[in-house]
Amino acid sequence: MTDSDRSTDSHLEVRTLDKTYPGGLTAVEELSLSLASGELLVLVGPSGCGKSTTLRCIAGLEEPTDGDIRIGGRSVLGRRPEEREIAMVFQNYALYPHKTARQNIGFGLRMTTDLSEETIETRVEDVADTLGITELLDKKPGSLSGGQQQRVALGRAIVRDPSVFLLDEPLSNLDATLRGRMRTEIQQLQRDLDVTTIYVTHDQVEAMTIGDRIAVLRDGQLQQVDTPMSCYHEPANRFVASFIGEPSMNLLDCRLGPTETALTGTVDYPLDDRLAAAASEARERGVVLGFRPESPTLSTATDGDDAAAPSFTGQVDVVEPIGERSFVYVTLASGPQVTVATPGRTPVRQGASVDVRIPPAGVHLFDAATGQALVHPDRDDQPDVAGITTEELD
Amino acid sequence: MNEDAPRDGDGEGTADGRTDGGASEVGMAASGGTAPEERSVAGRVRGRLAQFGRLDLSVYALYLLAIAFFVFPVLWVASASLRPPGELFSYPFRLLPAEISLSAYRRVFRAGMVTWLFNSTVITIVGVGSVIAVSVPAAYAFSRFEFTGRRGLLGIVLLFQMISPVIIIVPLYTVMSTLGLLRTRVGLILLYVGIQTPFSIWLLKGYFDTIPQELDYAARIDGCNRFQTLRHVLLRPVAPGIAVVAIFNTVLTWSEFVLAFTVLGSESRLHTISIGVYKFQGQYSNDWRAIAAASVVGMLPLVIVFLGLQRYFVKGLIKGSLKGQ
């Protein structure tokens, strides 16, 4: 598939979807998404942001209040779930407890097709073979481990050869080790089957690693749809900036100083011409200074490159060593706490007095009132690894 | 791929092990010692176990007392039914009669016991079956469908449960008479269904509520309509609840007297077992031996039903308690 195919021929399209519940709760507002055939889009956001509701509307389990859902160019509104050629995997797997794995996988085919018993049996066994669960086929869900149940649930979804695959937090019931493994497996499976997929998660790390593109949702409103790396490097607004990336981006509320060449407020930060021009757009409303923990350096690090960068004195509250890197939480003299990632061997002690250098090349600015991004660091300055991955792997 | 299960297990095992280790370390650190402390911890555990042993004994003694309290009347009735005439109130009291006589049983069967058993069986099976047939779909709808007036309707259902049939027995009699349902099994069964359905709906709704909604979703994606979802997917998980409803209503129906007596009246070929027992109470004297014999015979089918269903009943309870693992 070429890139032009992707942009013109969208296989799954959600148009200005609204979902308001009878109680008056608005779960999803004006949501539009478009997926190319075979694409994997991750829908990510904090719990209650409307991502599962969106998925259920696409599946036909809930009727949207307004808007349209099109699969393969045709509106599927009013169609029953099984007529939409979709398959769904649930967070708790939702396997039928009294049926064996074999019956669980074959149930949909039995209910919706006229296939003969033998054909169904063959297809179930083929799927089981793909997923490596052949010897589990005659067990009931109760006697399967979490990972095995997950595979049976995947089997139940793919046996029907769906044109759209919906995954609702499929990994959140698994322990950490298994989660990593299943994530890779699902990715592999999705590529092999080349099926258009929406993957819902609240875990931004999962979203970053699995998606061709990610759609960030908050309070039922779409914040940004882009490749994981673009969401990371060029967050559309303050929410995406704080949600994507672990630990979160440092965000400091400031305002533009009288000379318009520096920010004042929680920190006084001098602006170069590029930043100053961007900041002037929000001069009345205030500016939020943002930088990733990876961007600043601590004065204890003997790094001459950033000697010119603005520096702020502070005291180390906590050091979190995670091996190769450590996260250092520093309270600046002017009040705010910032997170700085340092190389793991950097000797920093709790309570130590340090200088935090924040290079302008790593600074994002946001409008304090609207939250919209004003300027991002130049991407040419930063290695863009995932940009290559998403392009090359197709 | 396939070595998932053992790895899962291992993972959990080590995780648990670590937690335990951590906990005991903390414990030791808190008490400030090492080896001697450890011994005394072991000692404490033994003491606790011994305590449990003592507690167990007294608890079992209490159980025994409670059981005796409820079983004694049953044994007394069984004993009374087997005594020869005139030995009912013999002194000193003996639970095991000196001489066993089946004359009371003969009398009871000659008086029409087979008819009563048959009537009770028919009414119970049809009645309880109807209650289940009505309350399962109703409970499913109350648990799963959002519709206007859902809460209000549930409240009304509960309200019906609060009205004792004895209070409305006079108007009920008139209604039954107008509908021509007096002295018919259908009339009695309809009343039972009406009385037992509200509680059954509430009980079953509780069971349906414990089944995750995702199971319905999965069924719908697999192509089930609402009825098929109920039939193929939800009925089995909710079976323990249905067993509870069946047992509960069987006992109620089998032993019900006031409504049966009122509706069936003098139509003796329709009389149920509870009316049968009543027949041995005369105006001037009660035939206690016959009453006891009829009671024993009437009790047996219930005991059999309960023993048959209790397996599912207990299984359902255990399964419910392990949910969410």
Side-chain angles (χ1 to χ4, degrees):
Chain A
M1 143 147 341
T2 65
D3 268 333
S4 61
D5 273 311
R6 290 213 146 190
S7 48
T8 52
D9 157 44
S10 73
H11 182 241
L12 169 63
E13 205 180 350
V14 177
R15 286 187 189 168
T16 60
L17 181 79
D18 275 317
K19 176 68 188 175
T20 307
Y21 285 105
L25 176 83
T26 302
V28 182
E29 227 179 317
E30 293 275 308
L31 178 74
S32 295
L33 293 170
S34 173
L35 278 81
S37 181
E39 186 182 1
L40 197 165
L41 177 87
V42 178
L43 212 51
V44 67
S47 35
C49 71
K51 50 194 191 308
S52 291
T53 307
T54 308
L55 213 58
R56 286 201 293 268
C57 285
I58 297 171
L61 296 167
E62 287 188 36
E63 278 303 309
T65 316
D66 201 9
D68 195 6
I69 293 162
R70 306 174 79 84
I71 295 176
R74 284 197 321 248
S75 174
V76 294
L77 285 190
R79 283 172 188 265
R80 291 201 305 273
E82 80 269 19
E83 299 170 328
R84 299 188 181 197
E85 293 179 46
I86 48 107
M88 191 161 171
V89 174
F90 299 90
Q91 177 175 358
N92 59 8
Y93 318 132
L95 296 175
Y96 311 124
H98 55 285
K99 295 186 192 296
T100 61
R102 186 189 300 277
Q103 291 166 332
N104 262 285
I105 296 173
F107 184 64
L109 292 178
R110 268 189 199 98
M111 295 305 290
T112 52
T113 64
D114 299 328
L115 296 177
S116 69
E117 241 354 84
E118 296 85 64
T119 318
I120 292 176
E121 200 55 28
T122 319
R123 280 178 68 172
V124 169
E125 306 224 323
D126 285 350
V127 165
D129 193 41
T130 311
L131 294 164
I133 51 171
T134 307
E135 70 279 18
L136 305 175
L137 277 180
D138 293 313
K139 291 191 175 178
K140 290 190 177 173
S143 57
L144 299 177
S145 74
Q148 292 168 337
Q149 289 188 28
Q150 171 78 80
R151 287 206 177 87
V152 176
L154 283 170
R156 185 172 64 180
I158 63 179
V159 75
R160 293 174 49 207
D161 201 10
S163 86
V164 173
F165 209 15
L166 304 171
L167 303 166
D168 190 1
E169 307 237 4
L171 301 181
S172 46
N173 278 12
L174 299 175
D175 64 57
T177 337
L178 202 54
R179 202 179 306 158
R181 196 137 50 92
M182 284 308 293
R183 190 163 67 198
T184 329
E185 258 175 51
I186 288 180
Q187 232 168 341
Q188 196 86 52
L189 193 65
Q190 193 266 340
R191 290 229 165 84
D192 291 349
L193 299 171
D194 194 31
V195 57
T196 314
T197 303
I198 296 194
Y199 185 111
V200 160
T201 180
H202 64 271
D203 181 350
Q204 54 94 14
V205 177
E206 211 169 288
M208 295 279 286
T209 47
I210 209 168
D212 293 334
R213 289 189 302 154
I214 61 182
V216 184
L217 227 65
R218 181 204 193 187
D219 295 337
Q221 289 173 332
L222 191 62
Q223 307 290 307
Q224 185 169 8
V225 193
D226 220 325
T227 62
M229 278 302 129
S230 291
C231 287
Y232 180 84
H233 288 300
E234 290 163 9
N237 57 38
R238 186 183 175 151
F239 174 78
V240 177
S242 66
F243 190 76
I244 301 288
E246 177 67 35
S248 282
M249 183 187 282
N250 294 294
L251 294 164
L252 306 174
D253 279 303
C254 299
R255 60 182 184 280
L256 199 54
T259 59
E260 301 206 355
T261 56
L263 295 177
T264 64
T266 42
V267 289
D268 293 330
Y269 192 85
L271 300 172
D272 58 23
D273 291 347
R274 195 176 67 95
L275 293 177
S280 67
E281 284 175 42
R283 99 172 41 88
E284 292 88 17
R285 297 184 293 272
V287 176
V288 177
L289 173 74
F291 55 93
R292 295 277 175 201
E294 289 76 15
S295 157
T297 49
L298 294 182
S299 63
T300 46
T302 50
D303 190 347
D305 288 355
D306 293 322
S311 162
F312 302 89
T313 329
Q315 202 171 19
V316 175
D317 293 327
V318 180
V319 180
E320 272 180 7
I322 55 164
E324 197 188 341
R325 290 190 301 169
S326 295
F327 296 119
V328 182
Y329 297 87
V330 181
T331 299
L332 301 182
S334 54
Q337 194 190 51
V338 297
T339 315
V340 181
T342 63
R345 291 178 202 279
T346 313
V348 192
R349 271 215 208 96
Q350 196 175 322
S353 193
V354 290
D355 281 339
V356 182
R357 289 181 191 283
I358 307 171
V363 162
H364 301 254
L365 295 180
F366 301 93
D367 187 315
T370 64
Q372 293 305 312
L374 299 168
V375 70
H376 298 297
D378 251 335
R379 273 186 82 179
D380 300 338
D381 293 354
Q382 334 216 349
D384 191 347
V385 183
I388 299 163
T389 0
T390 42
E391 243 64 38
E392 303 278 292
L393 283 176
D394 296 331
Chain B
M1 238 191 209
N2 308 330
E3 68 286 322
D4 239 15
R7 279 212 195 158
D8 279 1
D10 287 352
E12 274 160 33
T14 41
D16 282 351
R18 266 182 223 142
T19 322
D20 284 350
S24 65
E25 262 169 47
V26 170
M28 271 183 239
S31 48
T34 48
E37 279 301 326
E38 218 168 342
R39 228 175 291 136
S40 93
V41 166
R44 272 209 302 273
V45 169
R46 268 198 298 279
R48 190 62 67 79
L49 280 179
Q51 220 173 20
F52 265 123
R54 276 200 296 280
L55 200 70
D56 265 6
L57 271 185
S58 52
V59 165
Y60 279 116
L62 212 68
Y63 286 166
L64 227 70
L65 205 71
I67 291 170
F69 184 79
F70 288 107
V71 168
F72 178 75
V74 179
L75 292 179
W76 188 89
V77 167
S79 154
S81 70
L82 291 170
R83 282 160 204 250
E87 257 201 35
L88 189 61
F89 298 111
S90 63
Y91 187 86
F93 171 79
R94 291 159 69 172
L95 200 53
L96 212 63
E99 188 190 333
I100 286 182
S101 154
L102 292 177
S103 65
Y105 286 90
R106 275 195 290 277
R107 192 179 147 174
V108 162
F109 273 95
R110 270 202 301 274
M113 177 52 96
V114 175
T115 314
W116 305 331
L117 283 176
F118 173 77
N119 288 333
S120 282
T121 307
V122 169
I123 288 171
T124 304
I125 289 175
V126 178
V128 173
S130 309
V131 169
I132 291 170
V134 172
S135 55
V136 167
Y140 170 55
F142 275 124
S143 168
R144 291 302 203 252
F145 300 171
E146 282 295 335
F147 52 90
T148 341
R150 176 171 159 273
R151 291 178 68 89
L153 265 177
L154 262 177
I156 292 172
V157 168
L158 192 64
L159 204 69
F160 280 126
Q161 182 61 33
M162 292 172 183
I163 300 168
S164 163
V166 180
I167 295 170
I168 52 167
I169 202 145
V170 175
L172 265 185
Y173 184 87
T174 322
V175 169
M176 284 286 148
S177 160
T178 313
L179 293 175
L181 291 173
L182 280 182
R183 290 179 290 282
T184 64
R185 287 200 194 98
V186 175
L188 187 59
I189 288 170
L190 280 178
L191 280 185
Y192 287 155
V193 172
I195 289 162
Q196 293 165 5
T197 299
F199 175 75
S200 306
I201 290 177
W202 270 87
L203 194 133
L204 285 173
K205 181 188 171 288
Y207 272 86
F208 274 110
D209 286 346
T210 63
I211 302 172
Q213 181 103 37
E214 279 80 4
L215 223 51
D216 299 51
Y217 290 155
R220 279 173 63 196
I221 286 176
D222 272 341
C224 291
N225 60 31
R226 299 284 199 181
F227 178 76
Q228 288 166 327
T229 302
L230 177 60
R231 158 86 185 74
H232 293 296
V233 173
L234 297 179
L235 210 55
R236 281 291 290 277
V238 93
I242 297 176
V244 172
V245 166
I247 289 176
F248 192 78
N249 289 328
T250 298
V251 173
L252 271 186
T253 309
W254 189 265
S255 55
E256 203 285 330
F257 173 73
V258 176
L259 286 176
F261 193 67
T262 311
V263 172
L264 299 177
S266 57
E267 194 68 43
S268 63
R269 65 183 177 87
L270 295 180
H271 282 170
T272 59
I273 183 75
S274 55
I275 300 176
V277 173
Y278 177 72
K279 282 183 177 176
F280 296 104
Q281 302 188 16
Q283 196 173 355
Y284 303 107
S285 71
N286 295 335
D287 187 344
W288 286 115
R289 289 173 53 253
I291 291 175
S295 301
V296 169
V297 176
M299 210 155 52
L300 282 178
L302 270 193
V303 172
I304 292 166
V305 166
F306 186 80
L307 288 181
L309 283 178
Q310 104 171 325
R311 204 154 45 91
Y312 301 99
F313 191 57
V314 174
K315 207 160 75 180
L317 288 182
I318 290 170
K319 210 169 188 173
S321 69
L322 290 179
K323 238 181 95 62
Q325 61 171 349

